[in-house]
Amino acid sequence: MKITALLVLKCDARSDGSEPVILANATDVSHFGYFQRVTVKQFIVFVGRTVAKRTPPDQRQSVQHEEYKVHSYNRNGLCVVGFMDDHYPVRSAFSVLNKVIDEYQKCFGDSWRTIQADSTQPWPYLNEALTKFQDPAEADKLLKIQRELDETKIILHKTIDSVLERGVKLDSLVEKSSDLSAASQMFYKQAKKTNQCCTIL
């Protein structure tokens, strides 16, 4: 799972054909060959502008491009675009875009509305976000909780497996248990004989 680029753009709602203006841009093209990096960055800007221009105000969209998904979110003309690989969860991707657009508005307010040319000034938060959100769980707290639950489930399965590996049979545990009455033990044995439903245990 990888985020390759995050861009913040000003998208004019007028349909006069004006191109979106890049307000901030952060890319990580280190996984490309050295001589490909300039071309890849230029292509990211081109695709980012194209997708941003075609994202209606107050809409989100995802566009598949080769092995990447380009996600965009346009909030009243302020648009953020993210280039993620296919394995990056969509919900986490839009969570990243939402955090970036919130932070941009918190830092710059509505000053972006008057900008007419691409900005070459780096915005440190965008580079930090590009690094921090490489792990989708950082962007999506529900995903983080799910991952922790999955790890707990794996540990639970390992514990049950390790008990069975030590040669302890469930039948002998049932017989020795002081928690089960004689009737419950008899029911367990009868159910096992009649239905064969308990053979899994």
Side-chain angles (χ1 to χ4, degrees):
M1 289 181 264
K2 179 143 184 69
I3 303 177
T4 302
L6 292 170
L7 290 84
V8 182
L9 303 100
K10 171 191 169 187
C11 296
D12 203 338
R14 295 174 298 161
S15 57
D16 63 357
S18 60
E19 290 294 313
V21 176
I22 294 176
L23 304 171
N25 181 357
T27 56
D28 175 13
V29 291
S30 59
H31 55 286
F32 289 97
Y34 180 76
F35 295 107
Q36 295 176 314
R37 292 178 185 172
V38 172
T39 305
V40 169
K41 283 182 178 182
Q42 290 171 352
F43 198 71
I44 285 170
V45 168
F46 168 73
V47 172
R49 273 194 222 272
T50 304
V51 171
K53 187 175 184 177
R54 287 161 178 76
T55 304
D58 301 314
Q59 295 287 316
R60 292 177 170 86
Q61 71 175 347
S62 297
V63 178
Q64 183 78 36
H65 180 71
E66 295 174 9
E67 70 269 13
Y68 292 96
K69 278 206 176 115
V70 182
H71 303 285
S72 65
Y73 173 37
N74 184 337
R75 186 189 289 168
N76 295 323
L78 183 62
C79 189
V80 62
V81 178
F83 288 74
M84 283 85 164
D85 68 10
D86 261 343
H87 305 293
Y88 203 91
V90 174
R91 191 173 75 201
S92 297
F94 282 112
S95 182
V96 169
L97 300 186
N98 207 40
K99 288 176 192 297
V100 168
I101 212 165
D102 286 345
E103 190 63 28
Y104 191 89
Q105 286 185 315
K106 191 169 89 176
C107 289
F108 301 104
D110 279 343
S111 64
W112 59 272
R113 292 188 186 275
T114 60
I115 297 173
Q116 299 299 321
D118 289 349
S119 173
T120 55
Q121 294 286 22
W123 179 36
Y125 173 82
L126 200 58
N127 291 313
E128 292 165 17
L130 187 65
T131 304
K132 178 181 179 183
F133 297 128
Q134 291 298 332
D135 178 8
E138 287 296 321
D140 186 354
K141 297 303 175 194
L142 285 176
L143 185 67
K144 191 173 189 175
I145 292 167
Q146 182 63 47
R147 188 180 288 171
E148 289 169 3
L149 287 173
D150 288 345
E151 287 171 4
T152 305
K153 192 164 60 172
I154 290 167
I155 292 167
L156 178 64
H157 285 302
K158 284 181 182 175
T159 306
I160 291 170
D161 289 342
S162 64
V163 168
L164 294 176
E165 284 169 10
R166 283 189 244 132
V168 177
K169 299 287 183 200
L170 191 58
D171 292 344
S172 63
L173 289 175
V174 168
E175 287 175 19
K176 294 175 186 175
S177 174
S178 60
D179 294 332
L180 297 172
S181 66
S184 295
Q185 290 178 358
M186 185 59 90
F187 176 77
Y188 169 78
K189 290 176 186 175
Q190 278 303 113
K192 188 170 180 182
K193 285 180 190 172
T194 333
N195 300 333
Q196 297 295 320
C197 71
C198 298
T199 54
I200 312 170
L201 300 174

